[in-house]
Amino acid sequence: MFKKILLIFSFIVSLSAEQIVLEQITIEQIHLSLPTQTAQNPLDIKNIINKEAIELFANSAQTSTYETLDTMAGFISEAKDPYGLSGVSARSRGIDSNFMNTLFNGVSTYSIRPIGPRDGIYDLENIETIEHYQGAITPSSGHGVGSKAGLINIQTIKPKKGLHSKVALSGGGDEFYKIFARVDGGDDDLAGFISLSQTDAKKYKGYGDLGPRRNLALGVSYEPLSLLVLYSHNEQKQHEFKPLTFSQTQNLKQNYKLDYSNNAGSNDYYDFYKKETRYDDVQLTHTNSFKDINMEIKLYASSYDEKSDEGITGSGAGRGLQKGRVDAKRVGTNLKLNTTYENTFAEIGLWHEQSWLDKHVRRADKNNEALTKSWAWLNKSHGPTKLLSPYILLQQKFEYFTLEAGGRYLYYKEAPNDTYMPNNSYTDYDDAIRNGTIAQGGSVDAMHYKEFLPTLGISAMVLDDYELYAKYGKGYQRPYRYSFAAQYAANKDNIRTKVLAQGKTLQDIVNAWGMETSDLFDLGVRSYFDNAEITLNGFYNIHHNILHSAYDATLDANYLQNVGEAKVYGVELQTTLMPTEKIWLFCNPALTYSKLTRDINYGNTNYSLKN
């Protein structure tokens, strides 16, 4: 039905389109009009990709921001399929993208299982610019679950005045297709847009589909009140690829096409490995100015629903098809005020968010009937998790140099949580919670985390052609306790028995955890030409209190602890050259070194990691 509606909508849009024109995008605070370039203020440590470059660099499905950024120095993306429909992972300066912030018009998008941002849930045809921050992030730039791997902010094309329309059709191998249609309309006071898309493809190996993936986006702007409302909906069904073991990767020629089977009687049946996701985001932004003060307030809400079939696991009464569920909801407010007086810029802001999270994994038989009376992971949060984060930023410009100082205070309160025993005969989640048994020592009170994240930077013009800059900032990563809670409930490796035997509980383990932090240093030089921009940047990052599985001699067990420390350092060269309006040249090499610098004791064996 959705596909039929989309085809009709696309046909109507195509009739109204006199001509599809690739419009020139004007980006503020940029020295040159290049497709990819750094921000005017080098202390932002930010690269910007405009609309033309997005269309050129993105994958055929026009979904993944990670693959669009693959040309940037120090950024590496990896897709599971040619179109990125089954997920794209990335690394930025050696750190996994699970520890990266991804913002949609300044609002963070993230979930769990795995924890981290959700890439590929927006149509890039609707995106005007992608901003990529690395290293020491200015306090006003963004927020989320963590910043040690950097930040991505994607900006939507706002509603256009007058009548505009666009239809895009794509096709390819493995029965890939994408249909996208957008129409804008309005006048000087009221304007809006609506877009629809559907994307699908077969898996390039094995059985199953990577879609359909369906998107709906709406936008309304009302100039008399300076209001902008944006809504985005994404839903997708897909079959998973079978991961290879390490030994299988050693012979890719033989195992390249290895995947799940089409035998419905087998535990390896491909239809036992699939997921279904639904993401909804809405935000309302109001801007205003009074005297010399500019104000922006943003209200937002999101709902992320993720269901997954994760294969046949367990044995005996506990054997069954493992089915996961994440139901996450968030509401929040972003507020910022800024002003400029002579050569001084000042900004203050506040981020407040409340979130509710239910997550569980149950076992069912092959026909999805919960006959095994077993939950692999069952817990309940009580009340919302809360986050409050004010910040301040000051910039002072002098004749030849600029000073910047700022800081963000982060207060994070994680809701109380109960972890339940898995031997629960109720198939409905709410019934299972009402009638379930909390694991002994499995209750955790509200956890409070506090951190101050300062930044300090300086930039200077040298010989009129070169700009030097240096910056320090402190990054963070919020704690994540749920994987260990599942291990505790299942008594994996007798961990619960050992913890209780020591007179401890899950609360004692969690109390020992802290917030991961990072010291981030950047030093660089940038030069501009009539049709080119070159930036050479060196960085040195120290990551503290990394959550890592390590051995505890008192418990004779391995479990997650804040024991890791790592150093990541290197150099990046970012070059953009336009010899003509039709030719773009890029040279963006990077050299990155990363190493753990603290020994890890695992399995009662010390692994020396220091150089």
Side-chain angles (χ1 to χ4, degrees):
M1 178 61 69
F2 186 91
K3 186 175 181 180
K4 292 180 180 178
I5 294 173
L6 177 56
L7 288 171
I8 295 171
F9 178 75
S10 302
F11 178 70
I12 295 173
V13 170
S14 64
L15 291 178
S16 66
E18 295 182 2
Q19 185 178 5
I20 297 176
V21 179
L22 183 62
E23 298 183 356
Q24 181 178 350
I25 303 299
T26 302
I27 306 173
E28 296 181 356
Q29 295 183 332
I30 300 297
H31 284 263
L32 305 172
S33 182
L34 297 173
T36 66
Q37 51 200 168
T38 55
Q40 180 178 5
N41 179 7
L43 296 179
D44 283 340
I45 320 293
K46 175 177 69 174
N47 293 313
I48 300 175
I49 298 180
N50 69 14
K51 181 63 178 173
E52 291 177 304
I54 292 172
E55 293 181 346
L56 177 66
F57 298 148
N59 56 18
S60 301
Q62 289 281 309
T63 58
S64 175
T65 55
Y66 292 167
E67 293 207 292
T68 306
L69 293 168
D70 197 51
T71 58
M72 299 295 99
F75 194 96
I76 301 172
S77 68
E78 183 176 350
K80 297 179 183 178
D81 69 90
Y83 308 108
L85 293 175
S86 56
V88 180
S89 60
R91 300 188 75 85
S92 179
R93 290 187 175 178
I95 305 298
D96 190 270
S97 54
N98 282 339
F99 306 107
M100 183 183 299
N101 285 336
T102 296
L103 310 181
F104 178 59
N105 297 293
V107 175
S108 183
T109 65
Y110 61 89
S111 189
I112 67 170
R113 304 192 82 234
I115 191 171
R118 292 302 184 256
D119 177 61
I121 63 175
Y122 306 109
D123 285 322
L124 296 187
E125 291 93 341
N126 284 329
I127 304 305
E128 184 173 52
T129 60
I130 299 176
E131 303 169 342
H132 176 225
Y133 298 78
Q134 295 190 104
I137 297 175
T138 300
S140 60
S141 297
H143 47 260
V145 294
S147 59
K148 70 179 184 180
L151 179 149
I152 296 171
N153 185 28
I154 55 181
Q155 295 283 355
T156 300
I157 299 174
K158 305 303 188 296
K160 301 175 183 178
K161 301 171 185 178
L163 182 62
H164 303 267
S165 57
K166 176 179 180 179
V167 176
L169 304 176
S170 303
D174 302 311
E175 300 182 24
F176 163 74
Y177 72 86
K178 180 174 183 178
I179 306 171
F180 172 87
R182 169 171 166 150
V183 61
D184 293 69
D187 53 29
D188 290 339
D189 289 340
L190 181 65
F193 78 84
I194 179 173
S195 74
L196 295 169
S197 75
Q198 178 161 304
T199 314
D200 203 351
K202 296 288 185 182
K203 291 169 60 179
Y204 72 91
K205 65 175 181 177
Y207 303 92
D209 298 305
L210 301 179
R213 174 190 179 275
R214 295 164 177 160
N215 271 36
L216 165 68
L218 299 169
V220 177
S221 63
Y222 185 58
E223 290 298 328
L225 295 180
S226 298
L227 287 177
L228 175 65
V229 180
L230 296 172
Y231 169 74
S232 176
H233 167 82
N234 168 278
E235 62 181 59
Q236 184 172 0
K237 297 179 180 180
Q238 64 180 254
H239 289 93
E240 301 279 11
F241 287 98
K242 184 176 183 177
L244 300 181
T245 65
F246 176 76
S247 61
Q248 289 169 343
T249 64
Q250 303 308 295
N251 190 351
L252 286 177
K253 184 177 182 180
Q254 177 180 344
N255 298 308
Y256 180 74
K257 289 289 187 177
L258 186 64
D259 201 64
Y260 298 113
S261 77
N262 66 340
N263 181 4
S266 167
N267 289 349
D268 212 32
Y269 183 44
Y270 78 95
D271 209 34
F272 294 158
Y273 300 86
K274 60 180 184 292
K275 64 181 178 180
E276 181 178 346
T277 59
R278 176 180 175 133
Y279 307 132
D280 292 276
D281 298 285
V282 62
Q283 51 186 263
L284 184 151
T285 304
H286 170 64
T287 57
N288 207 340
S289 299
F290 45 96
K291 295 186 178 180
D292 295 324
I293 300 177
N294 303 309
M295 180 194 75
E296 179 182 287
I297 183 169
K298 188 185 299 287
L299 308 177
Y300 66 88
S302 67
S303 174
Y304 296 170
D305 191 355
E306 305 173 354
K307 303 174 184 177
S308 56
D309 286 359
E310 301 167 3
I312 302 294
T313 61
S315 60
R319 181 180 179 275
L321 175 60
Q322 191 160 284
K323 302 180 71 67
R325 175 75 183 274
V326 173
D327 183 7
K329 296 179 175 62
R330 300 185 293 128
V331 297
T333 304
N334 291 339
L335 172 66
K336 65 180 179 181
L337 301 169
N338 61 59
T339 186
T340 301
Y341 177 73
E342 295 183 349
N343 293 321
T344 302
F345 173 82
E347 180 170 305
I348 60 173
L350 177 69
W351 172 36
H352 175 254
E353 181 178 284
Q354 293 193 111
S355 60
W356 295 261
L357 177 63
D358 284 329
K359 58 278 171 198
H360 52 81
V361 181
R362 69 176 179 89
R363 292 194 177 103
D365 76 353
K366 294 180 181 180
N367 296 317
N368 197 24
E369 297 295 333
L371 302 177
T372 55
K373 300 180 180 180
S374 177
W375 292 74
W377 183 21
L378 178 65
N379 55 49
K380 175 67 176 178
S381 296
H382 300 281
T385 288
K386 299 180 180 180
L387 194 146
L388 186 68
S389 183
Y391 72 85
I392 185 171
L393 173 67
L394 297 172
Q395 292 179 345
Q396 179 66 49
K397 293 185 177 181
F398 299 92
E399 185 175 1
Y400 296 108
F401 65 94
T402 300
L403 291 176
E404 176 184 291
R408 176 183 286 276
Y409 176 76
L410 187 69
Y411 169 71
Y412 175 60
K413 175 188 174 183
E414 192 161 11
N417 185 270
D418 292 326
T419 297
Y420 286 76
M421 295 294 289
N423 56 338
N424 192 307
S425 61
Y426 293 89
T427 61
D428 178 76
Y429 172 76
D430 292 328
D431 290 340
I433 291 296
R434 280 193 297 267
N435 298 281
T437 301
I438 299 174
Q440 185 178 357
S443 295
V444 176
D445 295 332
M447 299 298 297
H448 304 265
Y449 302 93
K450 304 173 184 177
E451 199 68 50
F452 179 67
L453 309 169
T455 60
L456 180 65
I458 182 172
S459 65
M461 293 299 302
V462 180
L463 302 176
D464 295 329
D465 295 322
Y466 298 91
E467 192 166 14
L468 303 176
Y469 62 91
K471 189 172 183 181
Y472 162 77
K474 190 172 185 179
Y476 72 98
Q477 197 68 39
R478 280 160 43 181
Y480 180 67
R481 70 188 183 203
Y482 296 107
S483 58
F484 179 76
Q487 178 183 350
Y488 182 91
N491 202 22
K492 185 178 180 181
D493 300 325
N494 292 317
I495 185 66
R496 186 177 73 247
T497 302
K498 293 175 180 179
V499 169
L500 295 174
Q502 293 288 327
K504 297 180 179 180
T505 66
L506 183 58
Q507 180 78 63
D508 295 299
I509 302 298
V510 175
N511 284 343
W513 292 356
M515 188 177 292
E516 297 182 38
T517 60
S518 305
D519 290 309
L520 309 170
F521 300 87
D522 280 89
L523 178 65
V525 58
R526 187 169 63 175
S527 183
Y528 303 98
F529 305 92
D530 291 339
N531 58 350
E533 177 183 288
I534 300 175
T535 301
L536 179 65
N537 184 80
F539 61 92
Y540 190 87
N541 302 334
I542 307 173
H543 304 288
H544 309 283
N545 300 320
I546 298 173
L547 198 62
H548 194 284
S549 185
Y551 181 74
D552 185 337
T554 62
L555 297 178
D556 187 29
N558 300 299
Y559 62 92
L560 290 170
Q561 305 171 56
N562 286 111
V563 296
E565 182 173 292
K567 292 182 179 178
V568 182
Y569 54 93
V571 62
E572 302 161 343
L573 178 64
Q574 189 86 20
T575 303
T576 303
L577 174 65
M578 289 185 66
T580 72
E581 292 183 0
K582 302 296 183 180
I583 298 177
W584 305 340
L585 301 177
F586 304 94
C587 182
N588 302 328
L591 184 63
T592 301
Y593 294 93
S594 59
K595 60 181 180 180
L596 292 173
T597 56
R598 182 183 296 170
D599 290 356
I600 298 294
N601 193 341
Y602 185 82
N604 201 20
T605 300
N606 185 73
Y607 292 88
S608 180
L609 304 169
K610 298 179 181 178
N611 290 341

